[in-house]
Amino acid sequence: VQPASLVLTGTGFRGDSEAAGSSFSSSATNYPLVQLMRIDSGQTFFPLSDPEANWSDTTFSSETIGTITPIPAGHYGITVYTNAIPSLQKIVYIDLPECDPERLGGPMPGCDMSIGSTG
């Protein structure tokens, strides 16, 4: 399994409220945490946001997944948490393509995995 980036599209990645009581000591981050959980084993991964691509209210791009520890292909539930409030879970199949930029002579289209959701 080769490394790839995870790109999510949707809405509300910055949140519109917080799970705390909205007092002066609350600490809303408005930062999305993405959880990948394998359906068959419950194994969980939290990919970090790519600091170069950053994130917005509608998109999230992760750092390269699988660089240190490959994530096995399979069905995953993806949940986005913003201010401790979970999104609805989406079930997807993640298959990391075999892309070796050195072997291929540079980055190639299709070497990043993209998952889109409209609701």
Side-chain angles (χ1 to χ4, degrees):
V1 178
Q2 296 295 314
S5 294
L6 174 67
V7 178
L8 301 175
T9 58
T11 59
F13 290 173
R14 288 185 188 227
D16 60 359
S17 63
E18 58 184 287
S22 298
S23 70
F24 70 92
S25 62
S26 298
S27 57
T29 61
N30 293 331
Y31 182 87
L33 290 175
V34 175
Q35 178 188 42
L36 299 174
M37 185 175 69
R38 277 188 68 94
I39 300 300
D40 59 353
S41 69
Q43 187 176 17
T44 302
F45 303 94
F46 287 92
L48 299 175
S49 176
D50 181 351
E52 293 180 17
N54 215 332
W55 49 269
S56 71
D57 192 43
T58 58
T59 61
F60 174 90
S61 296
S62 75
E63 289 184 332
T64 302
I65 297 173
T67 302
I68 297 170
T69 304
I71 295 178
H75 286 92
Y76 286 82
I78 296 180
T79 305
V80 178
Y81 294 87
T82 304
N83 300 331
I85 300 171
S87 68
L88 294 175
Q89 186 180 69
K90 299 292 181 180
I91 307 297
V92 297
Y93 184 82
I94 294 179
D95 185 16
L96 300 177
E98 289 193 32
C99 294
D100 182 353
E102 291 181 9
R103 183 176 59 83
L104 299 172
M108 300 294 289
C111 287
D112 285 349
M113 58 183 174
S114 295
I115 300 168
S117 174
T118 56

